[in-house]
Amino acid sequence: MSETTTLRATRREWIGLAVLALPTLLLSLDISVLYLALPKLSADLGANSTQQLWILDIYSFLLAGFLVTMGTLGDRIGRRKLLLIGAGAFGVASMLAAWSSSPEMLIATRALLGVAGATLMPSTMALIRNLFRDPQQMGQAIGLWFSCFMGGMLLGPVVGGVLLEHFWWGSAFLLGVPVMALLLVVGPVLLPEYKDPDAGRLDLASVVLSLATILPAIWGLKELARSGWAVWPVLALAAGVAVGVLFVRRQQALEHPLLDLSLFRLPRFSPALGVQFAGGVVMAGIAFQAALFLQVVEGLSPLHAGLWLIPQNVAMIAGLTLAPRLGQRWPTSTVVAGGLVLCAAGLLVVTLTASDGGLGVLVGGLVIASFGMGLPMALTMNLMMAATPPQRAGSAASLNETSGEAGIALGIALLGSLGTLVYRHSLDGELPAGLPSGAADQSLQSVTAAVATAGQLPGQLGTELEALAKAAFTSGLHAVAAVGAVLFLGCAVMAAVRLRTPAEEPSGRETELV
């Protein structure tokens, strides 16, 4: 019997993958449902605008902050054990969130959900590395895992709409309880346990340094995206970078580091992680601009805007599902580079979006880009996990998740700032004659402010200001899409070179690459 045959997964492993898909589907569902529930829960609890932002953000802050710690902790105490602990904590925190009686209580329970969520994502990915040792099957499993995550994003608006139509806002949080209960029942039976026998003790100083690196940096990026350039977000970002330097130095000096930096020296690990990070930056930035375009320029409600974004999620699921098959037929580097070129082509279509009647062009471009992004997402994650020794799979998975969170925050901050800069430059000097100075200053702040100001102006003056503001914002959308296309083309060249190996034969089968 060949080695490849002995490595292939059986029905038991595929059922285990279905179990691992449960928390993945839930986490993405939870994110999308909350946006719909926010107006109702804010009115019921009396949450002000600042408290609403913390209700939304505290989860992602602590999720990003604890990913590295939890990924390494799973390597030490056991990945299945950590997954089940996190599932139990997530279920309890979900019930507390559902019956929160004040904004402060809901913020606290959302914080607990963030910490619990940080145990789930790296644990599931690391367990996939243990379940599927055949590289081809691992690629298929990772593609399905990603598809479940996107499926949650797809179902979120529909499920959330039904729940909020018939029940109170707390029902949105109770979605997680039966899912986590099922995971606690079947997980011990269907999932294997794995931990690194030589992991050493957890370095608490490194845990503190990692939190002091990630939390200020993510907060600073989010605030820059939300409010523009200001002193405190910049200082927070700088502090995060400074502490990050100390964190890296400590990891280099430890015999058993919290984060094993030697992962970056593994063949194809760093370029694969770079593609994932760049994809997060660009797609988050373009998604941010597209959501504003749909709601402000096209005048759609949040729900209808979300429905128009469903086609791109379906396209990404299709790309994620198809990627492993393409990776078996052609060299992985070729498929990854081709997907990135397709992403760039989709964003170039977005640059053709008109401020009047451009909905179809925008959605079409996003569908092309999202399908293209699905190819490298699945294959680069497979390359990273296959190149990582099993005992360090938790660290590798946490690195990927952390880079994804950072990429999203950075993309919204940087590309959002670029869009704002182009908007202001395009609108300044084009403002209609006779516009009051106060109205002009307000209009230059954002397209949302400009449209609101236009609604308060009489007749033709308001109509002209609104049209000019929408055209200026569309110019900003074009700039963000163009920059994203250039970045994707650069990544395609890098992938074609750095992901290719001497072992790559013309058949380009995935088994020869990893």
Side-chain angles (χ1 to χ4, degrees):
M1 183 178 293
S2 69
E3 182 181 359
T4 301
T5 303
T6 59
L7 290 176
R8 291 188 67 81
T10 64
R11 179 182 296 178
R12 181 183 180 87
E13 281 76 23
W14 290 106
I15 295 175
L17 176 63
V19 174
L20 294 176
L22 291 175
T24 304
L25 180 68
L26 171 69
L27 287 177
S28 58
L29 238 165
D30 183 70
I31 294 170
S32 53
V33 168
L34 179 62
Y35 282 100
L36 293 176
L38 188 63
K40 284 191 174 183
L41 69 86
S42 298
D44 191 19
L45 298 179
N48 59 38
S49 59
T50 301
Q51 291 169 331
Q52 290 177 37
L53 292 176
W54 277 109
I55 290 170
L56 289 174
D57 287 344
I58 192 65
Y59 175 86
S60 60
F61 285 158
L62 293 181
L63 176 71
F66 278 93
L67 278 170
V68 170
T69 298
M70 294 304 181
T72 306
L73 184 61
D75 290 342
R76 285 168 164 78
I77 71 170
R79 291 160 190 166
R80 186 182 67 186
K81 179 185 291 186
L82 182 64
L83 176 65
L84 297 178
I85 292 172
F90 198 95
V92 172
S94 295
M95 289 189 287
L96 292 174
W99 280 285
S100 293
S101 57
S102 68
E104 293 80 10
M105 181 179 176
L106 183 55
I107 291 170
T109 55
R110 287 280 294 165
L112 293 175
L113 285 169
V115 177
T119 69
L120 301 177
M121 299 297 278
S123 296
T124 54
M125 182 57 68
L127 284 170
I128 288 175
R129 175 68 176 86
N130 299 129
L131 284 168
F132 299 91
R133 293 182 291 168
D134 176 70
Q136 289 185 20
Q137 290 188 320
M138 189 191 302
Q140 295 169 354
I142 289 174
L144 291 172
W145 183 86
F146 269 124
S147 296
C148 288
F149 185 84
M150 294 307 302
M153 299 294 289
L154 186 67
L155 293 173
V158 178
V159 174
V162 172
L163 287 176
L164 296 172
E165 183 73 21
H166 297 92
F167 304 100
W168 96 114
W169 58 263
S171 62
F173 292 101
L174 294 180
L175 278 171
V177 177
V179 172
M180 293 308 173
L182 180 61
L183 178 59
L184 289 172
V185 172
V186 302
V189 178
L190 296 174
L191 298 177
E193 181 59 286
Y194 187 91
K195 60 182 177 180
D196 182 3
D198 303 316
R201 296 179 60 185
L202 188 68
D203 182 53
L204 295 180
S206 294
V207 173
V208 173
L209 287 174
S210 71
L211 292 174
T213 297
I214 297 171
L215 292 178
I218 296 294
W219 179 83
L221 289 171
K222 283 181 173 287
E223 286 300 305
L224 289 175
R226 180 179 295 128
S227 306
W229 294 95
V231 174
W232 286 112
V234 171
L235 289 177
L237 187 57
V241 172
V243 177
V245 173
L246 299 177
F247 174 76
V248 169
R249 289 180 177 176
R250 183 169 182 83
Q251 303 317 293
Q252 292 171 335
L254 291 173
E255 181 181 359
H256 299 288
L258 180 70
L259 178 63
D260 190 351
L261 299 179
S262 67
L263 290 171
F264 291 100
R265 296 195 293 270
L266 294 173
R268 300 179 301 283
F269 185 92
S270 292
L273 184 63
V275 169
Q276 292 267 6
F277 178 73
V281 170
V282 175
M283 296 306 288
I286 197 68
F288 177 72
Q289 294 294 113
L292 281 176
F293 181 91
L294 292 173
Q295 294 182 65
V296 181
V297 178
E298 289 293 329
L300 300 177
S301 68
L303 178 58
H304 285 110
L307 293 176
W308 274 106
L309 294 176
I310 286 179
Q312 76 176 64
N313 292 333
V314 174
M316 184 169 285
I317 291 173
L320 290 166
T321 305
L322 186 62
R325 297 182 182 180
L326 297 178
Q328 294 172 26
R329 185 169 183 178
W330 290 289
T332 302
S333 58
T334 301
V335 180
V336 171
L340 292 168
V341 170
L342 199 57
C343 289
L347 295 186
L348 290 177
V349 172
V350 172
T351 63
L352 303 177
T353 303
S355 60
D356 184 16
L359 178 60
V361 175
L362 173 65
V363 173
L366 292 176
V367 166
I368 296 171
S370 297
F371 176 79
M373 194 66 233
L375 303 181
M377 277 182 67
L379 294 181
T380 53
M381 189 66 208
N382 184 35
L383 284 175
M384 289 168 57
M385 298 308 294
T388 302
Q391 65 270 22
R392 288 185 281 173
S395 293
S398 66
L399 264 178
N400 177 70
E401 297 295 333
T402 304
S403 71
E405 290 290 329
I408 291 172
L410 187 63
I412 294 175
L414 292 184
L415 295 182
S417 297
L418 172 64
T420 300
L421 183 66
V422 173
Y423 164 78
R424 290 173 179 170
H425 178 75
S426 300
L427 187 59
D428 194 19
E430 297 292 331
L431 292 170
L435 190 67
S437 59
D441 293 338
Q442 189 72 13
S443 299
L444 289 173
Q445 294 302 311
S446 69
V447 65
T448 305
V451 171
T453 301
Q456 300 173 359
L457 296 175
Q460 183 63 29
L461 184 61
T463 302
E464 186 178 356
L465 174 61
E466 181 176 345
L468 289 170
K470 290 181 176 180
F473 179 82
T474 305
S475 297
L477 172 66
H478 294 168
V480 170
V483 169
V486 172
L487 288 175
F488 275 140
L489 289 175
C491 287
V493 173
M494 184 271 290
V497 175
R498 296 287 305 279
L499 296 182
R500 184 178 294 276
T501 69
E504 217 171 57
E505 298 295 332
S507 62
R509 296 188 65 81
E510 186 68 25
T511 51
E512 299 167 321
L513 286 173
V514 298

